[in-house]
Amino acid sequence: SPAGMVLSVLVVLLLSMLYEAIKVGKAMLLRRALLALPRTLSRESLVEPEEEEEEEGGTSPVQGRWFRYHLGQALLHVVQVALGYMVMLAVMSYNAWIFLGAIAGSTLNYFV
């Protein structure tokens, strides 16, 4: 039905927009993770963290922040791969309108 097709195209458009948004989010997390790393990576700073930087758990705040950013990147990557496959499967239906919806959603969010 026409209403079902419009809804399908809209869903694919939103999925491809979300895919592009996650791509940007991963890039921002990568930047934050790189900024969270210490400026100098000497063997002493990696093996023996400074005592004033230590938390109760024994890891420095820098290591904890970096790990959280890295974990966030990994989770966003899993979501991005799943969304990518969903959009790919929708496009593989060989419907021109759904294909155009995927392209339009990706283009819209790229420019936003």
Side-chain angles (χ1 to χ4, degrees):
S1 73
M5 180 55 70
V6 169
L7 184 63
S8 297
V9 170
L10 185 63
V11 166
V12 170
L13 184 131
L14 292 175
L15 283 176
S16 60
M17 286 182 76
L18 183 61
Y19 179 85
E20 289 293 326
I22 289 175
K23 235 170 52 172
V24 170
K26 274 179 51 179
M28 287 186 343
L29 274 180
L30 175 62
R31 183 173 175 266
R32 287 183 183 173
L34 291 176
L35 290 175
L37 286 174
R39 293 274 182 219
T40 60
L41 290 176
S42 65
R43 184 174 182 208
E44 292 80 23
S45 68
L46 291 175
V47 176
E48 301 168 7
E50 295 180 20
E51 291 181 15
E52 59 266 9
E53 290 183 2
E54 287 189 17
E55 292 179 348
E56 298 81 36
T59 61
S60 69
V62 170
Q63 291 171 341
R65 271 193 314 230
W66 180 84
F67 181 74
R68 281 182 283 173
Y69 291 138
H70 187 65
L71 184 64
Q73 280 182 303
L75 293 175
L76 281 179
H77 179 73
V78 169
V79 173
Q80 183 184 13
V81 168
L83 280 174
Y85 278 119
M86 282 189 242
V87 171
M88 180 196 67
L89 287 173
V91 168
M92 292 298 291
S93 70
Y94 298 108
N95 185 314
W97 292 109
I98 290 180
F99 173 74
L100 291 174
I103 297 299
S106 181
T107 305
L108 280 173
N109 206 32
Y110 181 79
F111 286 114
V112 170

